[in-house]
Structures are given as C-alpha cells and as structure tokens.
Amino acid sequence: MIEVTEVPSPFCGIGTDDLTIRVDGVSLKVVENGCPVNTPAFEQAITDTSPRVDGKDVSLDAAVAKAAALLKGTNQPVIGGCATDVNGMRALLALADRCGAVVDNMNFNATRRNLLALQDSGWMTTTLAEVKNRCDLFLVVGADPESFAPRFFERYLWNQESMFLEDTGNREVIYLGKAPSGNASTSPKGQKAQVFECGMEDLPELVAVLRALVKGQPIRAESVGGIAVADLQGIADKLKAAGYSVVTWAASALSYDQAELTVQTLSEMIKDINDLNTRCSGLPLGGKEGDQTANQVCGWTTGYPARTRFSKGFPEYDPYLNDIEVMTANGEADALVWVQAFNVNAVPPATDLPTIVIGRSGMTFAKEPDVFIPVGTPGIDHAGHAYRMDNVVAIRLKKCRDSGLPSTSDVLNAIEQAL
Amino acid sequence: MLIKLTGGTVYDPASGIDGKKQDIYIKDGRIVNQPGPDVQIDKEYDLSGKVVMSGAIDMHTHIGGGKGNIARTLLPEDHRMDPVHRTDATRSGTGHAMPSTFVTGYRYAEMGYTAGFEPAVLAVNARQAHMEMADIPILDKGGYVMLGSDDYLLRMLTAKKDQKAINDYVAWTLQAAKGIGIKVVNPGGISAFKFNQRKLDLDEKNSHYGVSPREILQVLATAVKQLGITHPLHVHGCNLGVPGNMNTTLDTIQGIGGLPMHLTHIQFHSYGTEGDFKFSSGAAQIAEAVNRNKNITIDVGQVLFGQTVTASGDNMRQHANHKHASPNKWVCMDIECDAGCGVVPFKYKDQNFVNALQWAIGLETFLLVDDPWRIFLTTDHPNGAPFTSYPHLIRLLMDKSFRNDMLATIHPEAQKMTTLASIDREYSLQEIAIMTRAGAARLIGLQDRGGLSAGNWADITVYTDNADREKMFAKPDYVFKDGELVVRDGTVVHSKWGTTHIVKPDWDPSIEKDLQKYFDRFLTMKVGNFKISDDEFTDIGRGSLTAHPLKGEVA
C-alpha cells in the first residue's frame, strides 16, 4: 500500500492538485481533499482488462487488427467522445487524418455556445489565480459553480490569504438566474450570496438589460423576468464600482436556442465595463474530462476546434454539420469510433453502425460494440496532460498505479499503424 | 551513411566563408571533415552553381503557446482560405496567419528554416508552448521565458531583495519552464493593467508594487548577465505602438547602462510625432543609437501588407489597440498573476498612412543599422506579417529597385515621411546569412548550429541563385535537417523531429522552500506540479532536450 500526494485531477476542471490517494494494488482511495466529483472518478474500479471483439475476450493485437479492418473499407468514419489526454488526442487526430474521419468532442454543443461568441466578437477572460487573488465581485450568471466543481469556492474565493485583498471574506457574490444548489458560496463569515432568480428562458432578456444598464441606457420596463430593473441597476452599479469583478457562466447550463447570444452579450458587457475606467473579466466554467484538451490539441493540430472533418484530406470545421450524433442518426457515417478514457457513464450514442469503443475500464453497454478496448485513465493509470477550465494551465497528470491497461494513445497509434 | 555535397558556393559567416566553392561532407547527422580519398561516398549531390547556407534560424516567432491557439480559434475564416492537404510525407492542416503546428514546421522547412524560437513563454503556460512546439515537425525549437509582470518578482523588487536572490528566482523559473532565454514584455505593465493602469512609461511606477519598468529591466538584464545566459535579456519595451515611443526606446537603451539587451520588434517602438498626422519615423535615431551601443541587439518586426493577427503578452497595449481590430473581434486575458495576453486581428494596408509608414520604418531600420550581427530578420510572426512572407522581405532588403517600386505604391503621405528612397544599401547574401543563421545562433547561444564547419549539425539549405531573391529564398532545392534530406524543390519529402534547446543555470536550492510556501499560499497549483520535467519532452517518443553551455562554461 502506498500513498500518492499532490495528485492533480483531470475530472473537476478546476485543476485541484492536492489530492492524496492511497493505492492498494489497483484499487484507489482518495484519503485527502476529495470531493463528490473527484472521489468517485478516482475510485472507479477496474472491471475489464481484456479487449473484446463481438463480446469475446481477445488479445490487444487482435482487437486492434479488427478495429483497423472495420475502418479500412469505410467512406465516412466518425470519431466521437474525444475525452482523453493530450497524447490521446494527438493519436486520435493522427488516426482521423489517416482515415478521413470526422472528429467531434462529445460536449461540443455546449462549448459551441462559447465558441460562436468568441469567433464572432471575442472576449476578455481571466484565470483561476487572478480570481483567487484579485476578484472583489463575483457574478454568477445562470450557473451553479459548486455542482460543477464542489471545491470551487473553497479554493478560489474563500482562500485564507490572497495577494491583493485584505480579507477574502469581504468579496461579494451575486447569482443571476439560478440559485445556488448549496452553501458553498456563503462566505466563511456567514455572508450569503445575493440571489436574483429567474427562469432560464428569461436569461437572454435579463442579460441584455443588464448590459444596457451598464452602458447607461434608459430602461422603461420596471421588471424583467420577474426581477426588478432597480435590482439589475444595483448589479450594474456594483460591476462599475468594483476593482476587479469576474463574471462567470457555464455554457452547458445555457441549454436554450441561440444561447451563444447570451454569451456574446455578457462578453460585450465585460468589454464595456473595461472602458468605464475599471477592470472586469469573464470566467467561462466548463472543460472537464478532456473537453478543453480536445479543443486545444485539435486547435493547434488543425487550426480549428474539435468538431472538424478530414474527409477531403484536409481539416474543415463546421460547428453544426460535423455533429456526429446528427451524422450517425442521418446515415451520413459508416463507422463510429468512441474515445472516452475518463467517464464510464459516457457511452457512445445508440447506433447500428460498426462501433469501436476505446473506453475507460468499467464501461458497460446496452449493446455490445464490435470492438471494445478498455484503456487506462490519464492521471490514474498513466501520466499525461490535461487542460484546466481556464485553458492556460495544462496540468501534468500522474501515474498512480500499475494496471497494465494501455493508454488511449497506445491503442489509437496501433490502430493507425495497422491501417 | 556518408553524404557529399559537391561544388556548391558556400556562405558560412560563422567560419568567415563568403561565397567560396567548397564541398561539404555529412556523417551521422553532422558535418565532418573530408574523410580521405578511400572512403566511400554513399550519396552525392551535385551543387555546382548552387548557393549553400546553413539552415535558417528564426530567433523570434510566435509558434507555441496559448495566445497562438487563441488566435487560431478566433479566425476559422483565415484557415478556410488556406487548407493544406495530407500527403504521403506530411500531415494535413491549415495555414495563413497562424498556421497549424504541422503546417508551421513544413512551411518553415520549405523556406530553408530549421529552427524557430518562441519568444513569449509564460512560465505558467510553458507546458502548452512546449506541447505545441512538440507537434511542429522538422524544426528545432526553444523558448524565452517571460518575467517582469509576475507577482513573485515584483514582490521581490518591492521588498528590495538583493540581486543574488533575484538571480536564483530567474534561474529557477528558466529551468522550471525549460527555456533558453529570458523575455520581458512591457515590464510591469501587464501587471499594472490588472490594477487598471492603462499606460506605463519607463519611469512610471506600477501602482501596487511601486516598481518602475526601468528597475525591472535593470535587475533582469543583470540577472541574465550574472547567470551566464548567452541570450541577452529579450525586451519588448514600454509603449508599443504609441506615437513618440522612440524616446522611450532611446531612453531604454541609455538606461540599461551597457548591459547586454535585445530589443525585439523594434519597428513597433520607433515612432515619432512629427508631420501632419503626428506620426513619423524614428528609425534613423534608433539605428544611430543601436550602431553606437554595442551591447544592443535588435530584431525588426517588419510589417508587410495584408491580413494577419497580432498575438502578444502585452495585454495592456493590445487592449488599447483593439479599436483597430480587423475583423472586429479580439481577446484579452489576464493570466495567473503571472502574465497576460491579447489577440487582435490586423489588416495592414498599403493605402493606410500609419501602416504604410510602419512598413517604411521597418525597412529603414534594416538598412540603417550597420552591423548585421546585431540585427535580425523578423516580422514578429504573426504580428507584423506571417513568417511565410520572409522571401518577399529578403527581396526588399537585397533589391533596391524592387524596394523603390514598392515604395512608389504606398500611401503618398507616407512616401513623403520616409527617407527610404534615398537609401542605396542592398543586403548581400553573406549579410542575409549572418542575420538569419550565424548571427542568430550566436545570439541565442546555440552550440553546433548555424554554421557549416565540421562538428556542426548538418542543418543545410541549398538554393539556386536567382536575381529574383524572393523566388530564390521561397524555394530551396534541398534542405537537410540533422543530415536528413527533408525538402526537395521547395516541398517537404520527409518529416522528422527536431530537438528543444535549453540552458540550465544554477540556483540556490534553498529558494524552493520559499517558492513552495508562496505557491501554497497564493497560486493554484503545487510547486512540484508547476515544474516541467524532462520526461514530458521524451514520453511522446519524438522529443528531446539539448542543453547549451552557459557563458564561460566549456561544453
């Protein structure tokens, strides 16, 4: 039995790297600094160690050969999931380039809300250490940071010491849209967050009015989505008075049509505040389990985010047409490769297509895929790199145990070789 | 495998050879002496009538790191116009302003370049910079690690820590981030922007730390010198792009008191305030100061016309410049109490007075600085123009009549504000070889690169002499990287992986205790997880580290 300390997590998106993990053979126990997101993700037991073809145990070589054979005659293979580490994504993109596949990160429909805003008008953002040391007003729009990452407030707002704030407990937290699911946003002194609740369907209008108020535009209505304009004016005034406010949202929570316009309005409001003689920055919540990693690696390899096709021999990005769930449902694909090294519950979409799953050991299927190759999890079974939600910091994942499971990149490189 | 390159005309400033017909032998990746008459030559290339130089080295090019990837993500329309097909030898990708990593490597190699150095590696983002560069084929690479707006250093300066303590921190950071030099960007200004300061002159104090850019430059330049790091402090000065900033630049040169200092993309820092538009060329004064101060080296950051994207650590100035964004979208980011970045697309237009004069100022600088060993050919890729425009830039420098033809087409008021037409100088092939090869290798401190004498790694470029220098430099006949033929007739025929160049100055191990406490108190990761380990380069199976000696050390 050994203990591994200062373990970084690829699961929570906020780059916690202070976990202590007790390793007993291949079973792990988080003994320090766990949370409801990280602890089960680390402690997930290994079940399968053997690859399967048509439900029968086979050698890794045989499974790789079968996967290559399935891909060989295809006209339009698709690669979904895209949940792995940097090396896994490198191998995935090499394979996609080799066989003309469409690559699509499983959470791209959420990420798209941010990317469309970014690619249309840009934004001003910040990172977690700036939040931790500088943020004096934290505005949460339609999101619930503590269910996203249970230790978010503990690590980045209620930290004991900060570089530039006398007392982090004096930070103000405001929720607009959703109420928090728990009490993590309550300061250590007991100061509760201000909450202005509305229906998610009212959020676009609410955000538009808030931006108008920031810009000093007159608003005739007295309330928007059930929230008094006077309250919104109060938020606008606080944003303008703060020294370094941070506005956060979670693209995945903005699950309504044209939510990119909400992201864009918020981003433009943040820019406006920076022209009003103070500072303000955005902090998009998201990017767990390899989402950010997929977009980063695909970004430098192809120039585009991770919804990109190689069918014509070069990368082409389309945030709508390259949605592989739509493609498989519409009969536009003839084979599916699903890559998910982090989450046993994130299984491939139901399909009759030939299916190859490169998945975390422990994954179970309603319908057995043609090929299943269990792989190790980056940060548990092998070292690797994963991006944090704020994109700047790539964390060095550790190997905690010897499971003998191959890495995603081992398997995908072998399939590419076999082609 | 013994390769012989027979009868080429060699330009090798590192050995003082200027256009001499000479054979070159390659064995095991390196250049060797003539092995004797009985030794069998495995492969011979007839280079009679060809021009032979070592592989070119871009000493300042933004090819790795978060801001580049933001630039890529921001501009899908720019990539869409420049798709790059997969071939038997190469991966697919996209090009233009901020090409994908694979395309970056191929296109550099296809112009005869064999190394590129990323000048703005944020320590906290260094993993990303190295991971991106690990996916750039063929080229060797390396990075300059950014300091000067990081809280730890500014805190040390506020507390008046001694130079020795600062040296230890600089050395520690350089090794943790695996760099080969130290860069400072808008010294203290990136931090000041986070405290809502919108400009910071050389003697203006950061409002929180009470430290001025001049003090930061002084301690960092001293640290670099005392640690024996070959590459001088790499400085992106104050007031980038601001009319009148030539005075800041002159003051910066004076103020460094003879310490080695490299002023980067100096074109963007050479502006006066004369004329009807209150914008004029300061190139003559800057060049004069550079000529006089032998401790100063510069690269130009030439502007060339067309669409590009500017990506800089200087979020203070990038935020101020966002009003010029074209297309109108831009990103600014505050980063980890360490640094920042700003990404602003730009379209430089020859009929825009300011852009046209920027073009002329860059060329004036090239032509008025006397010593080619102290000036380097850059566009600050992609900020002044994409690196793919280098052959065009070389023609502008080597061909006066071509230059004057171009000059005649730019904004007429800009033509009146430049002395370019009266400058007769034309760069020679040897001077180009100095700027892009021997000088760059010497400036960075690369051992066994940038020269063609025995013992050097066989990074070799072979051109067909052509009076049209743009055509000549755009399409080498052959490029060898570490002795392997990678480019034939301007096309990649074989891909391989280069090394990452670093230096390893020493530090007092006791400082890690303080850093550990500091990281635990204020930052978002453990100090042990911050430091990049060697196996992060090698575990992908194609990377390596090459450590170069410090000054005074024997390798």
Side-chain angles (χ1 to χ4, degrees), chain A residues 230-243:
Chain A
D231 287 335
L232 291 175
Q233 183 68 57
I235 299 174
D237 292 343
K238 283 181 178 173
L239 286 167
K240 289 195 272 187

Side-chain angles (χ1 to χ4, degrees), chain B residues 135-309:
Chain B
D135 279 342
I136 295 176
I138 303 176
L139 297 190
D140 284 356
K141 47 255 166 176
Y144 314 139
V145 178
M146 256 169 75
L147 288 171
S149 274
D150 51 312
D151 173 75
Y152 195 84
L153 178 75
L154 294 173
R155 196 175 277 261
M156 288 176 99
L157 294 181
T158 308
K160 308 263 183 252
K161 295 277 177 163
D162 62 20
Q163 185 69 43
K164 168 74 175 64
I166 285 163
N167 294 357
D168 284 333
Y169 170 64
V170 169
W172 181 86
T173 307
L174 190 55
Q175 286 222 40
K178 296 282 190 275
I180 194 164
I182 296 291
K183 166 85 171 294
V184 58
V185 172
N186 188 350
I190 303 167
S191 162
F193 181 54
K194 298 172 188 176
F195 294 101
N196 200 34
Q197 286 172 279
R198 302 302 172 108
K199 68 170 200 35
L200 199 68
D201 282 322
L202 194 56
D203 290 309
E204 201 171 343
K205 287 187 190 310
N206 177 303
S207 63
H208 178 79
Y209 300 97
V211 172
S212 71
R214 188 188 295 276
E215 295 165 67
I216 296 168
L217 290 171
Q218 188 71 39
V219 295
L220 285 179
T222 303
V224 167
K225 179 157 194 266
Q226 292 184 352
L227 288 167
I229 299 165
T230 304
H231 187 49
L233 180 64
H234 195 101
V235 176
H236 157 147
C238 315
N239 290 330
L240 178 141
V242 178
N245 62 10
M246 59 174 272
N247 292 321
T248 315
T249 307
L250 293 171
D251 205 358
T252 304
I253 292 172
Q254 276 315 307
I256 207 66
L259 288 167
M261 178 167 66
H262 179 84
L263 294 172
T264 189
H265 43 68
I266 202 159
Q267 177 277 129
F268 290 110
H269 303 266
S270 302
Y271 304 148
T273 53
E274 286 166 22
D276 294 346
F277 299 104
K278 305 287 175 223
F279 183 75
S280 58
S281 171
Q285 292 93 325
I286 298 289
E288 204 264 317
V290 173
N291 288 338
R292 210 175 47 237
N293 292 279
K294 309 292 182 206
N295 58 315
I296 302 297
T297 54
I298 61 169
D299 67 89
V300 172
Q302 177 67 36
V303 159
L304 295 162
F305 304 117
Q307 177 71 56
T308 194
V309 56

Side-chain angles (χ1 to χ4, degrees), chain A residues 86-160:
Chain A
V86 167
N87 276 347
M89 268 313 287
R90 283 171 163 149
L92 186 154
L93 289 160
L95 176 65
D97 194 16
R98 175 74 177 68
C99 64
V102 172
V103 167
D104 185 17
N105 171 246
M106 57 180 284
N107 292 319
F108 199 85
N109 283 353
T111 310
R112 181 174 65 194
R113 297 172 185 134
N114 286 341
L115 284 171
L116 289 175
L118 173 71
Q119 292 175 334
D120 192 52
S121 49
W123 62 23
M124 293 180 74
T125 57
T126 193
T127 68
L128 293 167
E130 301 287 358
V131 175
K132 178 174 177 176
N133 291 295
R134 213 179 278 281
C135 168
D136 54 355
L137 169 62
F138 191 64
L139 174 63
V140 185
V141 181
D144 185 32
E146 65 195 274
S147 63
F148 170 81
R151 294 179 66 204
F152 181 88
F153 284 97
E154 164 216 321
R155 273 177 73 89
Y156 301 120
L157 272 98
W158 310 134
N159 40 299
Q160 294 247 309

Side-chain angles (χ1 to χ4, degrees), chain A residues 17 90 97 119 123 125 127 129-130 132-133 161 244 274 277 279 296 300 302 313 385 388 392, chain B residues 69 73 86 92 94 101 125 131 135 194 196 198 329 332 334 336-337 521 523-524 526 529 536:
Chain A
D17 71 342
R90 283 171 163 149
D97 194 16
Q119 292 175 334
W123 62 23
T125 57
T127 68
E130 301 287 358
K132 178 174 177 176
N133 291 295
E161 285 186 278
Y244 195 95
N274 283 283
N277 195 32
R279 293 300 321 276
Q296 284 274 16
W300 76 63
T302 70
H385 293 102
R388 235 164 56 174
V392 168
Chain B
N69 231 19
T73 308
R86 178 187 177 83
S92 73
T94 53
T101 48
N125 185 239
M131 290 194 295
D135 279 342
K194 298 172 188 176
N196 200 34
R198 302 302 172 108
K329 50 180 174 179
C332 275
D334 296 328
E336 290 296 276
C337 302
R521 284 171 71 194
L523 294 185
T524 56
K526 297 284 182 188
N529 290 329
E536 296 182 55

Side-chain angles (χ1 to χ4, degrees), chain B residues 61 77 444 527 529 542-543:
Chain B
T61 172
E77 64 273 27
I444 301 166
V527 75
N529 290 329
R542 59 198 195 203

